[in-house]
Amino acid sequence: MSDATRPEVLVSTDWVAKNLSDTDAVRVIESNEDVLLYATGHLHNAVHVDWQTDLQDQDVRDYISQKQFDALCSRLGIRPDTTLVFYGDKSNWWACYAFWTFTMMGHRNCRVMDGGRAKWEAEGRTFTTDVPKYESTDYEAQAPDPSIRSFRDDVLEHMKAGGPMVDVRSPAEFIGEISHAPHDPGAEAALRAGHIPGASNVPWSRATNTDGTFKSRSDLEEIYLEEQGLDPADPTIAYCRIGERSSHTWFVLKYLLDFQDVRNYDGSWTEWGNLVGVPVEKGMPEDSGAIAD
């Protein structure tokens, strides 16, 4: 980002290259949509977090428990004071998902490598297939932060109050042409297509440059504040299909545009589109300004 550097949450590839060897203080974590990508090559000393098997408890269809999270961090050699740096494919949308999950579960020092895998590779930097092994720790997370997550009842109340919501899916999903993600036509689809009434459509990818980095603050302000009329002082909810793309927008709003209260509705359209008794809208406002995902 040319004019919105946030070193406490957003670090450059140069910063990561300089700190890769500091494994006592820094743990670099790769998290991708393609869970097999890590094995083909990854940053030296980086560990892998699989968003499905590591972060999700399939029995309860929710995130892992606090005890399971502590065990995961212990296995990865993480301490409560370890600086975590997330990166991955797809302009870091899954890295932001892991960042959001770790933050929600109570780890306080999380960062994202701007540009992710694509930028690292474009710069000709080294990948390795060697999998690092770290001594297990006795990790115990700080207090979880549920304030960054919304549940369906929260969203329903927010909708009834006319609160701002950002639907970060593609326009085709938003207007109700399809009920699955266009990048994953085999994905689980909702029974109904459309969007939550009152939501605006800003596909997550509008926040990124072609090299996968985040756009400048001025460009982001133009999209979210000027075009969409969002106010950083207003409580805001972001959602997508399962909460991964919206975690990317959540990161943008919270850290790069300083929204005071922004939450990710991770149940998103998979939940809302299958609920009984909640309203659904279709169609796109003419002045939405949305572009293809």
Side-chain angles (χ1 to χ4, degrees):
M1 299 183 67
S2 60
D3 60 358
T5 302
R6 292 289 300 270
E8 75 277 19
V9 289
L10 186 63
V11 295
S12 67
T13 51
D14 284 338
W15 187 95
V16 174
K18 292 174 182 177
N19 289 273
L20 268 179
S21 298
D22 188 7
T23 55
D24 289 335
V26 177
R27 185 71 70 247
V28 178
I29 299 174
E30 179 168 321
S31 190
N32 304 305
E33 179 187 43
D34 180 358
V35 296
L36 302 178
L37 192 56
Y38 174 85
T40 69
H42 50 266
L43 275 63
H44 182 64
N45 287 333
V47 295
H48 181 226
V49 167
D50 185 320
W51 67 273
Q52 293 175 305
T53 60
D54 289 329
L55 300 181
Q56 302 284 330
D57 186 329
Q58 300 301 322
D59 291 336
V60 297
R61 200 172 185 181
D62 200 350
Y63 295 101
I64 55 177
S65 68
Q66 200 67 45
K67 182 177 180 181
Q68 290 170 314
F69 178 74
D70 290 350
L72 170 65
C73 290
S74 296
R75 175 170 61 82
L76 298 177
I78 295 170
R79 301 185 305 272
D81 62 348
T82 301
T83 297
L84 305 184
V85 181
F86 297 90
Y87 77 96
D89 62 357
K90 302 284 186 178
S91 299
N92 273 333
W93 97 36
W94 289 100
C96 287
Y97 182 73
F99 176 106
W100 175 78
T101 305
F102 272 70
T103 300
M104 178 179 64
M105 299 297 290
H107 197 88
R108 295 290 180 260
N109 193 358
C110 297
R111 306 180 187 188
V112 171
M113 184 180 80
D114 201 13
R117 279 185 64 102
K119 191 169 191 297
W120 186 271
E121 183 175 9
E123 293 171 345
R125 299 182 188 270
T126 302
F127 286 94
T128 181
T129 57
D130 294 337
V131 178
K133 295 185 182 299
Y134 297 106
E135 184 177 351
S136 180
T137 62
D138 188 15
Y139 184 92
E140 185 173 343
Q142 301 177 54
D145 184 7
S147 70
I148 63 175
R149 184 185 190 188
S150 280
F151 294 92
R152 63 185 184 187
D153 289 344
D154 302 323
V155 178
L156 188 59
E157 181 179 350
H158 188 79
M159 180 201 70
K160 290 178 178 178
M165 291 178 286
V166 183
D167 184 321
V168 315
R169 298 174 300 160
S170 67
E173 292 170 275
F174 181 81
I175 67 176
E177 284 185 353
I178 58 176
S179 59
H180 57 77
H183 61 275
D184 188 6
E188 177 182 9
L191 291 175
R192 296 184 297 169
H195 58 269
I196 300 174
S200 57
N201 183 222
V202 189
W204 72 275
S205 57
R206 293 191 65 191
T208 62
N209 298 306
T210 55
D211 65 354
T213 58
F214 290 100
K215 288 182 177 177
S216 67
R217 176 158 189 147
S218 59
D219 287 343
L220 295 174
E221 288 177 343
E222 182 177 349
I223 295 170
Y224 295 96
L225 278 57
E226 298 173 22
E227 176 190 301
Q228 298 297 326
L230 297 176
D231 187 337
D234 291 338
T236 304
I237 292 175
Y239 74 91
C240 58
R241 185 180 69 87
I242 59 173
E244 88 293 15
R245 286 174 285 176
S246 50
S247 65
H248 188 277
T249 298
W250 168 85
F251 181 89
V252 169
L253 297 179
K254 181 174 178 64
Y255 294 107
L256 306 185
L257 289 177
D258 299 316
F259 275 54
Q260 298 172 21
D261 179 7
V262 58
R263 292 171 287 163
N264 184 24
Y265 172 35
D266 58 280
S268 284
W269 199 253
T270 296
E271 179 175 62
W272 192 272
N274 286 308
L275 287 175
V276 174
V278 299
V280 169
E281 282 186 350
K282 292 187 177 184
M284 177 78 76
E286 293 182 1
D287 61 350
S288 68
I291 60 175
D293 189 5

